[in-house]
Amino acid sequence: MKKTLIALLTIISFSCQAQETKKYNLGFENQKEKETLSDGWFKWGNYELTIDEATHSGKKSGKITSDQTGSSFGSIAYKIPANYEGKKIKLEGFMKIKDVENGFAGLLLRVDGNGTSLAFDNMQSQKINGTKDWQKYSITLDYPEEAENIYIAGILSGKGEAWFDDFTLSIDGKNVQTLKEVEKQLSKAQLDKEFDSGSLIEFSDLTTENIENLELLGRIWGFLKYHHPEIANGNYNWDYELFRFLPKYIKVDNTIERDKILIEWIDSFGQVKECKKCQATDKNAFLKPDLKWINNQSATLKNKLLYVYNNRSQGKHYYIGMTANVGNPEFKNENPYSNMSFPDDGFRLLSLYRYWNMINYFFPYKQLMDEDWNKKLKEYIPLFINAKNELEYEFATIQLIGDIQDTHANLWGGADKIDEWKGSKYPPIHVRFIENQLVVTDYYNQELKKEVGLKIGDIITKINSKSIDEIVKEKSKFYPASNEPTRLRDISTDILRSNSESIEIEFVSGDSKHQTKTLKLYPKDSLNIYRWYRKSDDKSFKMLDNNIGYVTLQNIKEEDISKIKKEFKGTKGIIIDIRNYPSTFVPFSLGSYFVFSSTPFVKFTNGNVDNPGEFIFTSNLKILSQGKTYKGKLVVLVNELSQSQAEYTSMAFRAGDNTTIIGGTTAGADGNVSAIMLPGGLRTMISGIGVNYPNGEETQRIGIIPDIEVKPTIEGIRNGKDELLEKAIEVILKE
């Protein structure tokens, strides 16, 4: 009996040990001798990483320590192969922080595939700082089908200390430690590696005929990409099919031969079966597919293309999808070719073809461009092909992006040479365009105030002997924006940058004459730089004189909303400041406080994967009254810093029964964004859905039009006045 009991206990002991064996070392407990970090964990960023004895459980945790300020960060990261299937991925973990300032701490979850980041969150928007004991945090993201690798991490930006422990990763609620891995079936497109090292395409001098032929090919390549069923099924690497076809195509010297090989090329992808599900374009569609170019082709080519259109792919598509519950395009399986810092001729042409067709079929604001998008493909072919180096390629790309006139659209990643061109040294002052003049508005570091030798309100008129107007004119084409105030906003953040240690400026201070001085520049990390406005961790709401409530959305928290309603219930008026980007989504939770009945405030346009180029209006979205409506006046403050979610939130507040909007032109970029990857590792975005008032009026490019236009003045800046806030108080006090 005793031997049996010992044997049973031994079996139970071994069984428990087997159950506790984990595939991934997410609790930091396993660490080899002489290794700095626990097994599997590695360093991102440049902060100090250690394994520490201060833990949430067990004996070890990961720790990040920093005494730096600026834009640096440190991250302790772990990589997990994405050999799992599911819809949602969730990271949970425990974090403890001490004296975190000028930044944030958080968990990080990133899912990569096709050489790019497909899903990402680092909790920056939650602004977790200060000192906090162990708390559990979590991140939930959509889990992309094309996921290849999962990265989990703890991150610290700014100064302070952060500890991390007991990470758990789950997919659709199931812990990956116990999930069975699946072998993902690669598509034929993924298996095609022929041109991974280069396209082997070289163009000689381009003639007008060459350019026109390449323009037609770009249209047909994009049309087939989004309409042909075999390409939709992932049976062809569509980038590489272009490179296979180009050598033959660029040799044609007449339209008859050209059309003949184009038809043969289309036929080579197999017979397109008759589509019984394909429907004609909705007669009520807000935007309809533009097929005029097809009708302008020879009869045989036109008929071939129209047959494909009438029997186009339906449903799931390898290269394009629509984000669930939102409807903005999701550009899938687009290889960024990040290993090619300067893509060759073929890949640069591919970059143009890819972007032009994405905009042509899935950008909801194509009709608002100043220039005809149909002409842009031909215009940019020589710019992309003739780019002599990485900087010229980036310049061509950012100019093309600028032509869609969407402030969401810029080169947000990979534009290393443009960043070098802007300058590695930064001014110690913040400047803005006020009354069309470049005005000093703040010092990044107060201790440099005397050394700078400039006052708040000083007007800079020249930089290195060149007038500000000249500089703006030169740089404007490299600063995409929906409207001019927003372009000037973005230019102002870079206009004083240089690769030199200093710049010569001419300026006017008060009523004095023009003066000149040498302005010393600094490395970015040595300054407390902010892009548009200085971030604040102060309370988001306060009471002003005369029984007026004030709310800023830049640091509002969900728990603040009930307090705002309670404390401001009996005030004469409430001022909501959205000259910032809201830290919490409040259109419904706070907007409902200002309507007496359910009120429509917005409707959207969504694209259609089954009929690329078609955009349909959704029904109106309403703000529901909560029954306890605020009875005072509501004044909303906006300006060129109000962008995207800030503009959407302004629309919600405008639905209120007693709302006045005060300020200037907003950024004119609204709608959930869609990421786009281009060869050379370039990353951009577009506004992916159309955002309209219930009557159909657009906000894109126009922005939120204020009821009372008030803009800052140079005199007001010099005297430390907030003229928009003063006007808001005046409106509330006026009987």
Side-chain angles (χ1 to χ4, degrees), residues 47-67:
Y47 290 176
E48 179 187 357
L49 304 186
T50 54
I51 299 301
D52 202 75
E53 295 179 354
T55 67
H56 173 258
S57 72
K59 297 181 179 180
K60 296 175 182 177
S61 69
K63 183 184 179 185
I64 308 174
T65 305
S66 167
D67 59 1

Side-chain angles (χ1 to χ4, degrees), residues 115-165:
T116 187
S117 176
L118 303 172
F120 174 81
D121 189 4
N122 63 2
M123 298 178 64
Q124 182 175 2
S125 62
Q126 297 188 35
K127 300 180 181 178
I128 300 169
N129 50 33
T131 298
K132 302 179 190 295
D133 204 354
W134 288 106
Q135 291 184 34
K136 188 176 185 179
Y137 299 90
S138 69
I139 296 171
T140 302
L141 297 172
D142 291 332
Y143 185 58
E145 289 182 15
E146 58 268 43
E148 295 174 4
N149 290 297
I150 302 163
Y151 294 91
I152 67 172
I155 184 170
L156 173 66
S157 175
K159 296 176 69 172
E161 299 173 282
W163 292 259
F164 303 90
D165 203 0

